[in-house]
Amino acid sequence: SYGASKAIPTQEIALYLEDEIHLNSDAKLNIGGRLVTYFQKDDRFVFLEPRISFNKKVNNRYAFKASYT
């Protein structure tokens, strides 16, 4: 029927690590990653999700920020 779904029991375990590196007084780099594992019956799925961000203070009013997740 419409909208009916079968629930699939799963378990998820995640580990997140990061490091913040101060390049100088106005710039910092944040590097990290998330490792996720899903368990479903006899199957196991592992995913790595890298993350990086850069933050640069331009002056007292503005900053530049770029990130990838």
Short mmCIF file of all heavy atoms in Angstrom, two decimals:
data_model
loop_
_atom_site.label_atom_id
_atom_site.label_comp_id
_atom_site.label_asym_id
_atom_site.label_seq_id
_atom_site.Cartn_x
_atom_site.Cartn_y
_atom_site.Cartn_z
N SER A 1 0.83 -1.18 0.00
CA SER A 1 0.00 0.00 0.00
C SER A 1 0.87 1.24 0.00
O SER A 1 2.05 1.19 0.32
CB SER A 1 -0.94 -0.01 1.20
OG SER A 1 -0.21 0.14 2.38
N TYR A 2 0.27 2.36 -0.32
CA TYR A 2 1.00 3.63 -0.42
C TYR A 2 1.54 4.03 0.95
O TYR A 2 0.84 4.04 1.94
CB TYR A 2 0.07 4.72 -0.96
CG TYR A 2 0.74 6.06 -1.06
CD1 TYR A 2 1.63 6.32 -2.09
CD2 TYR A 2 0.50 7.05 -0.12
CE1 TYR A 2 2.25 7.54 -2.19
CE2 TYR A 2 1.12 8.27 -0.20
CZ TYR A 2 2.00 8.52 -1.24
OH TYR A 2 2.63 9.72 -1.32
N GLY A 3 2.83 4.41 1.00
CA GLY A 3 3.43 4.88 2.24
C GLY A 3 3.90 3.79 3.17
O GLY A 3 4.49 4.07 4.19
N ALA A 4 3.64 2.54 2.84
CA ALA A 4 4.06 1.45 3.71
C ALA A 4 5.54 1.16 3.46
O ALA A 4 6.02 1.21 2.33
CB ALA A 4 3.23 0.22 3.45
N SER A 5 6.24 0.89 4.51
CA SER A 5 7.65 0.53 4.37
C SER A 5 7.99 -0.56 5.37
O SER A 5 7.34 -0.70 6.40
CB SER A 5 8.55 1.74 4.59
OG SER A 5 8.44 2.18 5.92
N LYS A 6 9.01 -1.31 5.04
CA LYS A 6 9.48 -2.34 5.95
C LYS A 6 10.72 -1.80 6.65
O LYS A 6 11.66 -1.37 6.00
CB LYS A 6 9.82 -3.61 5.18
CG LYS A 6 8.62 -4.27 4.55
CD LYS A 6 9.03 -5.54 3.85
CE LYS A 6 7.82 -6.20 3.22
NZ LYS A 6 8.19 -7.44 2.54
N ALA A 7 10.70 -1.83 7.96
CA ALA A 7 11.84 -1.37 8.74
C ALA A 7 12.97 -2.39 8.63
O ALA A 7 12.76 -3.59 8.72
CB ALA A 7 11.45 -1.17 10.19
N ILE A 8 14.18 -1.89 8.40
CA ILE A 8 15.36 -2.74 8.32
C ILE A 8 16.23 -2.40 9.53
O ILE A 8 16.73 -1.27 9.62
CB ILE A 8 16.13 -2.51 7.02
CG1 ILE A 8 15.25 -2.82 5.82
CG2 ILE A 8 17.40 -3.34 7.00
CD1 ILE A 8 15.87 -2.45 4.49
N PRO A 9 16.38 -3.31 10.46
CA PRO A 9 17.18 -3.00 11.66
C PRO A 9 18.66 -2.85 11.30
O PRO A 9 19.24 -3.70 10.62
CB PRO A 9 16.94 -4.20 12.58
CG PRO A 9 16.48 -5.29 11.69
CD PRO A 9 15.82 -4.65 10.51
N THR A 10 19.25 -1.76 11.73
CA THR A 10 20.66 -1.49 11.49
C THR A 10 21.29 -0.92 12.75
O THR A 10 20.59 -0.42 13.63
CB THR A 10 20.88 -0.50 10.34
OG1 THR A 10 20.25 0.73 10.68
CG2 THR A 10 20.35 -1.01 9.03
N GLN A 11 22.60 -0.98 12.80
CA GLN A 11 23.37 -0.34 13.87
C GLN A 11 24.42 0.53 13.22
O GLN A 11 24.95 0.19 12.15
CB GLN A 11 24.02 -1.36 14.77
CG GLN A 11 23.05 -2.15 15.61
CD GLN A 11 23.78 -3.12 16.52
OE1 GLN A 11 24.90 -3.51 16.28
NE2 GLN A 11 23.10 -3.53 17.59
N GLU A 12 24.75 1.64 13.87
CA GLU A 12 25.74 2.57 13.33
C GLU A 12 26.74 2.91 14.43
O GLU A 12 26.37 3.18 15.56
CB GLU A 12 25.06 3.85 12.86
CG GLU A 12 26.01 4.93 12.44
CD GLU A 12 25.31 6.23 12.08
OE1 GLU A 12 24.09 6.21 11.82
OE2 GLU A 12 25.99 7.26 12.06
N ILE A 13 28.01 2.90 14.05
CA ILE A 13 29.08 3.32 14.94
C ILE A 13 29.90 4.37 14.18
O ILE A 13 30.23 4.16 13.01
CB ILE A 13 29.98 2.14 15.34
CG1 ILE A 13 29.19 1.11 16.12
CG2 ILE A 13 31.16 2.63 16.16
CD1 ILE A 13 29.96 -0.15 16.44
N ALA A 14 30.20 5.47 14.84
CA ALA A 14 30.96 6.54 14.18
C ALA A 14 32.09 7.00 15.09
O ALA A 14 31.96 7.06 16.30
CB ALA A 14 30.05 7.71 13.84
N LEU A 15 33.20 7.35 14.46
CA LEU A 15 34.37 7.89 15.14
C LEU A 15 34.77 9.16 14.43
O LEU A 15 34.90 9.18 13.19
CB LEU A 15 35.53 6.88 15.11
CG LEU A 15 36.86 7.35 15.66
CD1 LEU A 15 36.74 7.57 17.18
CD2 LEU A 15 37.94 6.34 15.35
N TYR A 16 34.95 10.24 15.19
CA TYR A 16 35.30 11.53 14.59
C TYR A 16 36.59 12.02 15.22
O TYR A 16 36.72 12.07 16.44
CB TYR A 16 34.19 12.55 14.79
CG TYR A 16 34.47 13.88 14.15
CD1 TYR A 16 34.34 14.05 12.78
CD2 TYR A 16 34.90 14.96 14.91
CE1 TYR A 16 34.61 15.25 12.18
CE2 TYR A 16 35.18 16.17 14.30
CZ TYR A 16 35.03 16.32 12.96
OH TYR A 16 35.31 17.51 12.36
N LEU A 17 37.54 12.41 14.38
CA LEU A 17 38.81 12.97 14.82
C LEU A 17 39.05 14.27 14.09
O LEU A 17 38.73 14.40 12.90
CB LEU A 17 39.96 12.00 14.53
CG LEU A 17 39.92 10.65 15.24
CD1 LEU A 17 41.01 9.76 14.69
CD2 LEU A 17 40.08 10.83 16.73
N GLU A 18 39.66 15.25 14.80
CA GLU A 18 40.00 16.49 14.14
C GLU A 18 41.21 17.11 14.81
O GLU A 18 41.53 16.81 15.95
CB GLU A 18 38.84 17.48 14.15
CG GLU A 18 38.55 18.09 15.49
CD GLU A 18 37.47 19.16 15.46
OE1 GLU A 18 36.91 19.43 14.38
OE2 GLU A 18 37.21 19.73 16.52
N ASP A 19 41.87 17.99 14.07
CA ASP A 19 43.02 18.73 14.58
C ASP A 19 42.92 20.16 14.07
O ASP A 19 42.65 20.38 12.89
CB ASP A 19 44.32 18.09 14.11
CG ASP A 19 45.54 18.67 14.82
OD1 ASP A 19 45.36 19.34 15.86
OD2 ASP A 19 46.65 18.45 14.33
N GLU A 20 43.13 21.11 14.96
CA GLU A 20 43.11 22.52 14.57
C GLU A 20 44.55 23.02 14.57
O GLU A 20 45.24 22.93 15.59
CB GLU A 20 42.26 23.32 15.56
CG GLU A 20 42.10 24.77 15.15
CD GLU A 20 41.11 25.49 16.04
OE1 GLU A 20 39.90 25.43 15.73
OE2 GLU A 20 41.54 26.08 17.03
N ILE A 21 44.98 23.52 13.44
CA ILE A 21 46.35 23.98 13.25
C ILE A 21 46.33 25.49 13.06
O ILE A 21 45.69 26.00 12.13
CB ILE A 21 47.00 23.31 12.01
CG1 ILE A 21 46.95 21.80 12.16
CG2 ILE A 21 48.41 23.80 11.81
CD1 ILE A 21 47.22 21.05 10.88
N HIS A 22 47.00 26.21 13.95
CA HIS A 22 47.09 27.67 13.83
C HIS A 22 48.30 27.98 12.94
O HIS A 22 49.45 27.77 13.33
CB HIS A 22 47.23 28.32 15.20
CG HIS A 22 45.98 28.20 16.01
ND1 HIS A 22 45.00 29.15 15.99
CD2 HIS A 22 45.54 27.21 16.82
CE1 HIS A 22 44.01 28.77 16.77
NE2 HIS A 22 44.32 27.59 17.29
N LEU A 23 48.03 28.47 11.73
CA LEU A 23 49.10 28.77 10.79
C LEU A 23 49.83 30.05 11.18
O LEU A 23 51.04 30.16 11.02
CB LEU A 23 48.52 28.89 9.37
CG LEU A 23 47.76 27.65 8.89
CD1 LEU A 23 47.09 27.92 7.56
CD2 LEU A 23 48.70 26.46 8.80
N ASN A 24 49.09 31.02 11.67
CA ASN A 24 49.62 32.24 12.26
C ASN A 24 48.52 32.86 13.11
O ASN A 24 47.50 32.23 13.35
CB ASN A 24 50.18 33.22 11.19
CG ASN A 24 49.13 33.62 10.17
OD1 ASN A 24 47.99 33.87 10.51
ND2 ASN A 24 49.53 33.66 8.91
N SER A 25 48.68 34.10 13.56
CA SER A 25 47.68 34.69 14.46
C SER A 25 46.35 34.98 13.77
O SER A 25 45.33 35.15 14.44
CB SER A 25 48.23 35.97 15.09
OG SER A 25 48.50 36.92 14.08
N ASP A 26 46.34 35.02 12.43
CA ASP A 26 45.13 35.35 11.69
C ASP A 26 44.56 34.20 10.86
O ASP A 26 43.54 34.36 10.21
CB ASP A 26 45.38 36.54 10.75
CG ASP A 26 45.65 37.82 11.50
OD1 ASP A 26 45.18 37.95 12.65
OD2 ASP A 26 46.33 38.70 10.95
N ALA A 27 45.21 33.05 10.85
CA ALA A 27 44.76 31.95 9.99
C ALA A 27 44.85 30.62 10.72
O ALA A 27 45.81 30.37 11.45
CB ALA A 27 45.58 31.90 8.71
N LYS A 28 43.82 29.80 10.51
CA LYS A 28 43.85 28.46 11.08
C LYS A 28 43.25 27.46 10.10
O LYS A 28 42.44 27.80 9.26
CB LYS A 28 43.14 28.40 12.43
CG LYS A 28 41.66 28.65 12.39
CD LYS A 28 41.08 28.59 13.79
CE LYS A 28 39.61 28.94 13.78
NZ LYS A 28 39.01 28.88 15.10
N LEU A 29 43.68 26.23 10.25
CA LEU A 29 43.26 25.12 9.40
C LEU A 29 42.72 24.03 10.31
O LEU A 29 43.34 23.70 11.32
CB LEU A 29 44.46 24.61 8.61
CG LEU A 29 44.24 23.55 7.55
CD1 LEU A 29 43.38 24.11 6.42
CD2 LEU A 29 45.57 23.09 7.00
N ASN A 30 41.56 23.51 9.97
CA ASN A 30 40.95 22.44 10.74
C ASN A 30 40.82 21.23 9.83
O ASN A 30 40.15 21.29 8.80
CB ASN A 30 39.58 22.88 11.27
CG ASN A 30 39.00 21.89 12.24
OD1 ASN A 30 38.88 20.72 11.93
ND2 ASN A 30 38.66 22.37 13.41
N ILE A 31 41.47 20.14 10.21
CA ILE A 31 41.47 18.92 9.40
C ILE A 31 40.88 17.79 10.25
O ILE A 31 41.25 17.64 11.41
CB ILE A 31 42.89 18.54 8.95
CG1 ILE A 31 43.48 19.67 8.11
CG2 ILE A 31 42.89 17.25 8.17
CD1 ILE A 31 44.93 19.47 7.77
N GLY A 32 39.98 17.04 9.66
CA GLY A 32 39.38 15.94 10.41
C GLY A 32 38.72 14.93 9.50
O GLY A 32 38.74 15.05 8.28
N GLY A 33 38.13 13.97 10.13
CA GLY A 33 37.44 12.94 9.38
C GLY A 33 36.49 12.18 10.28
O GLY A 33 36.64 12.15 11.50
N ARG A 34 35.51 11.60 9.66
CA ARG A 34 34.51 10.79 10.36
C ARG A 34 34.49 9.42 9.71
O ARG A 34 34.33 9.30 8.50
CB ARG A 34 33.14 11.47 10.26
CG ARG A 34 32.05 10.77 11.00
CD ARG A 34 30.77 11.62 10.97
NE ARG A 34 29.71 10.98 11.71
CZ ARG A 34 28.60 10.48 11.18
NH1 ARG A 34 28.40 10.56 9.88
NH2 ARG A 34 27.70 9.91 11.93
N LEU A 35 34.68 8.41 10.51
CA LEU A 35 34.64 7.03 10.03
C LEU A 35 33.34 6.42 10.55
O LEU A 35 33.10 6.37 11.75
CB LEU A 35 35.84 6.24 10.55
CG LEU A 35 35.95 4.79 10.08
CD1 LEU A 35 36.18 4.75 8.57
CD2 LEU A 35 37.05 4.08 10.82
N VAL A 36 32.49 5.99 9.62
CA VAL A 36 31.17 5.47 9.97
C VAL A 36 31.07 4.02 9.52
O VAL A 36 31.46 3.67 8.41
CB VAL A 36 30.05 6.29 9.29
CG1 VAL A 36 28.69 5.80 9.74
CG2 VAL A 36 30.21 7.76 9.56
N THR A 37 30.55 3.18 10.40
CA THR A 37 30.33 1.78 10.09
C THR A 37 28.86 1.45 10.34
O THR A 37 28.33 1.76 11.41
CB THR A 37 31.21 0.86 10.95
OG1 THR A 37 32.57 1.24 10.77
CG2 THR A 37 31.04 -0.58 10.54
N TYR A 38 28.20 0.87 9.34
CA TYR A 38 26.81 0.43 9.45
C TYR A 38 26.78 -1.09 9.44
O TYR A 38 27.45 -1.72 8.62
CB TYR A 38 25.97 0.94 8.27
CG TYR A 38 25.84 2.43 8.22
CD1 TYR A 38 26.64 3.18 7.37
CD2 TYR A 38 24.90 3.09 9.00
CE1 TYR A 38 26.52 4.57 7.32
CE2 TYR A 38 24.77 4.47 8.95
CZ TYR A 38 25.58 5.19 8.10
OH TYR A 38 25.46 6.55 8.06
N PHE A 39 26.01 -1.66 10.32
CA PHE A 39 25.82 -3.11 10.37
C PHE A 39 24.36 -3.42 10.06
O PHE A 39 23.45 -2.83 10.64
CB PHE A 39 26.14 -3.65 11.77
CG PHE A 39 27.56 -3.42 12.19
CD1 PHE A 39 27.91 -2.31 12.95
CD2 PHE A 39 28.55 -4.31 11.82
CE1 PHE A 39 29.21 -2.10 13.35
CE2 PHE A 39 29.86 -4.11 12.20
CZ PHE A 39 30.19 -3.00 12.98
N GLN A 40 24.16 -4.34 9.12
CA GLN A 40 22.82 -4.78 8.75
C GLN A 40 22.88 -6.28 8.52
O GLN A 40 23.52 -6.74 7.58
CB GLN A 40 22.34 -4.07 7.49
CG GLN A 40 21.02 -4.57 6.98
CD GLN A 40 20.73 -4.05 5.59
OE1 GLN A 40 21.38 -3.15 5.09
NE2 GLN A 40 19.74 -4.64 4.95
N LYS A 41 22.23 -7.01 9.38
CA LYS A 41 22.26 -8.48 9.34
C LYS A 41 23.70 -8.96 9.25
O LYS A 41 24.47 -8.73 10.15
CB LYS A 41 21.41 -9.02 8.19
CG LYS A 41 19.94 -8.76 8.37
CD LYS A 41 19.14 -9.42 7.27
CE LYS A 41 17.66 -9.11 7.44
NZ LYS A 41 16.86 -9.73 6.40
N ASP A 42 24.09 -9.59 8.15
CA ASP A 42 25.46 -10.09 8.00
C ASP A 42 26.34 -9.16 7.18
O ASP A 42 27.47 -9.52 6.86
CB ASP A 42 25.43 -11.47 7.32
CG ASP A 42 24.74 -12.51 8.20
OD1 ASP A 42 24.80 -12.36 9.43
OD2 ASP A 42 24.15 -13.45 7.65
N ASP A 43 25.84 -8.00 6.82
CA ASP A 43 26.61 -7.05 6.01
C ASP A 43 27.18 -5.93 6.87
O ASP A 43 26.61 -5.55 7.90
CB ASP A 43 25.72 -6.42 4.93
CG ASP A 43 25.27 -7.44 3.90
OD1 ASP A 43 26.05 -8.37 3.62
OD2 ASP A 43 24.14 -7.30 3.41
N ARG A 44 28.31 -5.40 6.42
CA ARG A 44 28.96 -4.28 7.10
C ARG A 44 29.40 -3.28 6.04
O ARG A 44 30.02 -3.65 5.04
CB ARG A 44 30.16 -4.77 7.88
CG ARG A 44 30.88 -3.70 8.63
CD ARG A 44 31.95 -4.33 9.49
NE ARG A 44 33.17 -3.58 9.29
CZ ARG A 44 34.34 -3.94 9.71
NH1 ARG A 44 34.49 -5.08 10.34
NH2 ARG A 44 35.39 -3.20 9.50
N PHE A 45 29.08 -2.00 6.25
CA PHE A 45 29.45 -0.94 5.30
C PHE A 45 30.28 0.09 6.06
O PHE A 45 29.89 0.55 7.13
CB PHE A 45 28.20 -0.28 4.73
CG PHE A 45 27.24 -1.25 4.09
CD1 PHE A 45 26.19 -1.79 4.81
CD2 PHE A 45 27.42 -1.65 2.78
CE1 PHE A 45 25.31 -2.69 4.23
CE2 PHE A 45 26.56 -2.55 2.19
CZ PHE A 45 25.50 -3.07 2.92
N VAL A 46 31.42 0.47 5.47
CA VAL A 46 32.32 1.43 6.11
C VAL A 46 32.51 2.61 5.18
O VAL A 46 32.78 2.44 3.98
CB VAL A 46 33.69 0.77 6.42
CG1 VAL A 46 34.63 1.77 7.06
CG2 VAL A 46 33.52 -0.45 7.31
N PHE A 47 32.35 3.82 5.72
CA PHE A 47 32.51 5.04 4.94
C PHE A 47 33.46 5.99 5.67
O PHE A 47 33.37 6.16 6.89
CB PHE A 47 31.16 5.76 4.76
CG PHE A 47 30.14 4.94 4.06
CD1 PHE A 47 29.19 4.22 4.78
CD2 PHE A 47 30.11 4.86 2.68
CE1 PHE A 47 28.23 3.46 4.14
CE2 PHE A 47 29.17 4.10 2.03
CZ PHE A 47 28.23 3.40 2.76
N LEU A 48 34.35 6.63 4.92
CA LEU A 48 35.22 7.67 5.45
C LEU A 48 34.75 9.01 4.91
O LEU A 48 34.60 9.18 3.69
CB LEU A 48 36.68 7.43 5.04
CG LEU A 48 37.67 8.49 5.49
CD1 LEU A 48 37.72 8.58 7.02
CD2 LEU A 48 39.05 8.19 4.94
N GLU A 49 34.49 9.96 5.79
CA GLU A 49 34.01 11.28 5.40
C GLU A 49 35.06 12.32 5.81
O GLU A 49 35.10 12.76 6.96
CB GLU A 49 32.68 11.58 6.09
CG GLU A 49 31.60 10.56 5.78
CD GLU A 49 30.36 10.73 6.65
OE1 GLU A 49 30.38 11.55 7.59
OE2 GLU A 49 29.37 10.04 6.38
N PRO A 50 35.93 12.73 4.87
CA PRO A 50 36.95 13.73 5.21
C PRO A 50 36.34 15.12 5.37
O PRO A 50 35.32 15.44 4.76
CB PRO A 50 37.89 13.68 4.00
CG PRO A 50 37.05 13.21 2.88
CD PRO A 50 36.02 12.30 3.49
N ARG A 51 36.96 15.92 6.22
CA ARG A 51 36.51 17.29 6.46
C ARG A 51 37.73 18.19 6.61
O ARG A 51 38.70 17.83 7.25
CB ARG A 51 35.67 17.36 7.73
CG ARG A 51 34.38 16.59 7.58
CD ARG A 51 33.85 16.16 8.91
NE ARG A 51 32.73 15.26 8.67
CZ ARG A 51 31.56 15.37 9.23
NH1 ARG A 51 31.32 16.32 10.10
NH2 ARG A 51 30.60 14.52 8.94
N ILE A 52 37.64 19.37 5.98
CA ILE A 52 38.72 20.35 6.10
C ILE A 52 38.11 21.75 6.04
O ILE A 52 37.16 21.98 5.29
CB ILE A 52 39.79 20.15 4.99
CG1 ILE A 52 40.96 21.09 5.22
CG2 ILE A 52 39.20 20.31 3.61
CD1 ILE A 52 42.17 20.75 4.36
N SER A 53 38.63 22.64 6.85
CA SER A 53 38.18 24.02 6.78
C SER A 53 39.37 24.96 7.00
O SER A 53 40.33 24.62 7.70
CB SER A 53 37.08 24.32 7.80
OG SER A 53 37.58 24.29 9.10
N PHE A 54 39.28 26.12 6.40
CA PHE A 54 40.31 27.15 6.50
C PHE A 54 39.63 28.44 6.89
O PHE A 54 38.59 28.80 6.34
CB PHE A 54 41.02 27.31 5.14
CG PHE A 54 41.99 28.45 5.12
CD1 PHE A 54 43.21 28.34 5.75
CD2 PHE A 54 41.68 29.62 4.46
CE1 PHE A 54 44.11 29.40 5.73
CE2 PHE A 54 42.57 30.68 4.43
CZ PHE A 54 43.79 30.56 5.06
N ASN A 55 40.20 29.15 7.86
CA ASN A 55 39.64 30.41 8.33
C ASN A 55 40.75 31.45 8.40
O ASN A 55 41.77 31.23 9.06
CB ASN A 55 39.00 30.22 9.71
CG ASN A 55 38.14 31.39 10.10
OD1 ASN A 55 38.42 32.52 9.76
ND2 ASN A 55 37.08 31.10 10.83
N LYS A 56 40.56 32.57 7.70
CA LYS A 56 41.55 33.64 7.65
C LYS A 56 40.89 34.95 8.04
O LYS A 56 39.91 35.38 7.43
CB LYS A 56 42.13 33.76 6.24
CG LYS A 56 42.98 34.99 5.98
CD LYS A 56 44.33 34.84 6.58
CE LYS A 56 45.26 35.95 6.08
NZ LYS A 56 45.74 36.80 7.11
N LYS A 57 41.40 35.58 9.08
CA LYS A 57 40.89 36.88 9.50
C LYS A 57 41.48 37.95 8.59
O LYS A 57 42.70 38.10 8.51
CB LYS A 57 41.28 37.13 10.96
CG LYS A 57 40.76 38.42 11.52
CD LYS A 57 41.17 38.54 12.98
CE LYS A 57 40.78 39.89 13.53
NZ LYS A 57 41.25 40.05 14.92
N VAL A 58 40.61 38.67 7.87
CA VAL A 58 41.07 39.70 6.93
C VAL A 58 41.37 40.99 7.69
O VAL A 58 42.41 41.61 7.49
CB VAL A 58 40.02 39.93 5.82
CG1 VAL A 58 40.45 41.05 4.89
CG2 VAL A 58 39.77 38.65 5.05
N ASN A 59 40.43 41.40 8.53
CA ASN A 59 40.62 42.55 9.41
C ASN A 59 39.68 42.38 10.60
O ASN A 59 39.14 41.30 10.79
CB ASN A 59 40.39 43.88 8.66
CG ASN A 59 39.03 43.96 7.99
OD1 ASN A 59 38.04 43.48 8.54
ND2 ASN A 59 38.97 44.54 6.80
N ASN A 60 39.47 43.42 11.39
CA ASN A 60 38.61 43.28 12.57
C ASN A 60 37.14 43.07 12.23
O ASN A 60 36.35 42.67 13.07
CB ASN A 60 38.74 44.51 13.47
CG ASN A 60 40.06 44.52 14.20
OD1 ASN A 60 40.65 43.46 14.43
ND2 ASN A 60 40.55 45.69 14.55
N ARG A 61 36.77 43.33 11.00
CA ARG A 61 35.36 43.22 10.60
C ARG A 61 35.06 42.01 9.71
O ARG A 61 33.95 41.49 9.72
CB ARG A 61 34.96 44.50 9.87
CG ARG A 61 33.50 44.61 9.62
CD ARG A 61 33.14 45.97 9.11
NE ARG A 61 31.71 46.00 8.81
CZ ARG A 61 31.11 47.01 8.28
NH1 ARG A 61 31.78 48.11 7.99
NH2 ARG A 61 29.83 46.97 8.04
N TYR A 62 36.04 41.56 8.93
CA TYR A 62 35.79 40.50 7.94
C TYR A 62 36.74 39.32 8.12
O TYR A 62 37.87 39.47 8.55
CB TYR A 62 35.96 41.04 6.51
CG TYR A 62 34.96 42.11 6.16
CD1 TYR A 62 35.32 43.44 6.14
CD2 TYR A 62 33.65 41.78 5.85
CE1 TYR A 62 34.40 44.43 5.82
CE2 TYR A 62 32.72 42.74 5.54
CZ TYR A 62 33.10 44.07 5.52
OH TYR A 62 32.18 45.03 5.22
N ALA A 63 36.23 38.16 7.71
CA ALA A 63 37.03 36.94 7.69
C ALA A 63 36.65 36.14 6.46
O ALA A 63 35.54 36.24 5.95
CB ALA A 63 36.80 36.13 8.96
N PHE A 64 37.58 35.33 6.01
CA PHE A 64 37.34 34.44 4.87
C PHE A 64 37.34 33.01 5.40
O PHE A 64 38.23 32.62 6.15
CB PHE A 64 38.45 34.61 3.82
CG PHE A 64 38.40 33.59 2.73
CD1 PHE A 64 37.49 33.71 1.69
CD2 PHE A 64 39.26 32.50 2.74
CE1 PHE A 64 37.41 32.76 0.68
CE2 PHE A 64 39.21 31.55 1.73
CZ PHE A 64 38.28 31.68 0.71
N LYS A 65 36.32 32.24 5.01
CA LYS A 65 36.24 30.86 5.46
C LYS A 65 35.86 29.97 4.28
O LYS A 65 34.95 30.30 3.53
CB LYS A 65 35.21 30.69 6.58
CG LYS A 65 35.16 29.28 7.11
CD LYS A 65 34.26 29.16 8.31
CE LYS A 65 34.31 27.75 8.84
NZ LYS A 65 33.44 27.55 10.00
N ALA A 66 36.57 28.85 4.15
CA ALA A 66 36.26 27.86 3.12
C ALA A 66 36.28 26.49 3.80
O ALA A 66 37.09 26.24 4.69
CB ALA A 66 37.28 27.92 2.00
N SER A 67 35.37 25.61 3.36
CA SER A 67 35.34 24.28 3.97
C SER A 67 34.86 23.24 2.96
O SER A 67 34.20 23.54 1.98
CB SER A 67 34.44 24.27 5.20
OG SER A 67 33.11 24.55 4.85
N TYR A 68 35.23 21.99 3.27
CA TYR A 68 34.79 20.85 2.48
C TYR A 68 34.41 19.75 3.45
O TYR A 68 35.16 19.43 4.37
CB TYR A 68 35.91 20.36 1.55
CG TYR A 68 35.57 19.05 0.89
CD1 TYR A 68 34.74 19.02 -0.21
CD2 TYR A 68 36.07 17.85 1.37
CE1 TYR A 68 34.40 17.83 -0.83
CE2 TYR A 68 35.73 16.65 0.77
CZ TYR A 68 34.90 16.65 -0.31
OH TYR A 68 34.57 15.47 -0.91
N THR A 69 33.21 19.18 3.26
CA THR A 69 32.80 18.04 4.08
C THR A 69 32.24 16.97 3.19
O THR A 69 31.81 17.20 2.09
CB THR A 69 31.73 18.44 5.11
OG1 THR A 69 30.60 18.98 4.44
CG2 THR A 69 32.28 19.41 6.10
#
